[in-house]
Amino acid sequence: AQSVTQPDIHITVSEGASLELRCNYSYGATPYLFWYVQSPGQGLQLLLKYFSGDTLVQGIKGFEAEFKRSQSSFNLRKPSVHWSDAAEYFCAVGAKEYGNKLVFGAGTILRVKS
Amino acid sequence: DAGVIQSPRHEVTEMGQEVTLRCKPISGHNSLFWYRQTMMRGLELLIYFNNNVPIDDSGMPEDRFSAKMPNASFSTLKIQPSEPRDSAVYFCASHWGSVTDTQYFGPGTRLTVL
């Protein structure tokens, strides 16, 4: 069965520091990978997605992610974190073989200290 | 576009009562998803519709839960009778096309069952 693992429940970084959030997936099919962000009291918003082509994808708000098939990973990065990036981040995976649905990871809560 | 609209935003009810959550997807989208978010279980897909037809309801926890989509612009999720363990945030999301397309989430309904 498909699964997504986000090993870090909480991460704290200083404003201006770099960020990397980890995501590993287990999927029998060719995966489509997504990162979503959820601010407190709000729904999820797409940051970026990968389904083919260049394995380094750029998203909104200065985020990027790299798909590494050999490591079954899709880690999210940002070179310099802003206080407004404090939120919860979800990695998700889907595949055409499983219809339109996505499987979400447990999420990583990002705290930014000034 | 107004985005995905959910109502009510907050619902407090007593155990045993019927609860109906409502969702209006983005106009033109042909897939609609209902999710439940809790601290213990994270974000779970309950059911999704494609062209108003339920495609996968394997995530619906039990017979107390039911969902309908009578037309392309409206869906309901009903819990009858409600129980305290149903307390969660329920999200509706929609998209157009396939699994590679972005899911747009509503703001959620926070349900508290006393």
Side-chain angles (χ1 to χ4, degrees), chain B residues 19-109:
Chain B
V19 174
T20 299
L21 311 181
R22 297 172 176 79
C23 175
K24 176 179 170 54
I26 293 174
S27 177
H29 283 188
N30 68 350
S31 292
L32 182 141
F33 305 80
W34 282 102
Y35 292 91
R36 178 173 66 177
Q37 186 178 39
T38 61
M39 289 290 291
M40 291 298 294
R41 300 175 67 89
L43 193 65
E44 305 172 276
L45 176 67
L46 299 177
I47 184 171
Y48 84 90
F49 296 83
N50 194 45
N51 293 322
N52 312 337
V53 176
I55 301 301
D56 187 337
D57 65 355
S58 59
M60 296 286 263
E62 50 197 274
D63 291 346
R64 296 185 298 107
F65 285 69
S66 62
K68 294 182 180 180
M69 192 165 185
N71 56 62
S73 59
F74 184 66
S75 177
T76 60
L77 178 68
K78 183 179 294 186
I79 308 172
Q80 180 185 20
S82 58
E83 297 182 2
R85 59 192 167 121
D86 301 330
S87 297
V89 180
Y90 291 81
F91 289 102
C92 175
S94 70
H95 78 186
W96 164 251
S98 72
V99 65
T100 56
D101 294 308
T102 302
Q103 288 190 23
Y104 292 86
F105 282 74
T109 295

Side-chain angles (χ1 to χ4, degrees), chain A residues 60-79:
Chain A
I60 62 171
K61 306 184 181 185
F63 286 92
E64 66 177 26
E66 186 171 12
F67 171 56
K68 293 184 177 180
R69 184 183 297 276
S70 62
Q71 299 178 20
S72 298
S73 70
F74 189 57
N75 294 349
L76 181 71
R77 301 194 294 250
K78 187 170 184 177

Side-chain angles (χ1 to χ4, degrees), chain A residues 44-73:
Chain A
L44 280 70
Q45 179 187 20
L46 181 73
L47 285 175
L48 47 79
K49 60 184 175 181
Y50 169 80
F51 49 90
S52 67
D54 192 345
T55 56
L56 182 65
V57 293
Q58 304 296 321
I60 62 171
K61 306 184 181 185
F63 286 92
E64 66 177 26
E66 186 171 12
F67 171 56
K68 293 184 177 180
R69 184 183 297 276
S70 62
Q71 299 178 20
S72 298
S73 70

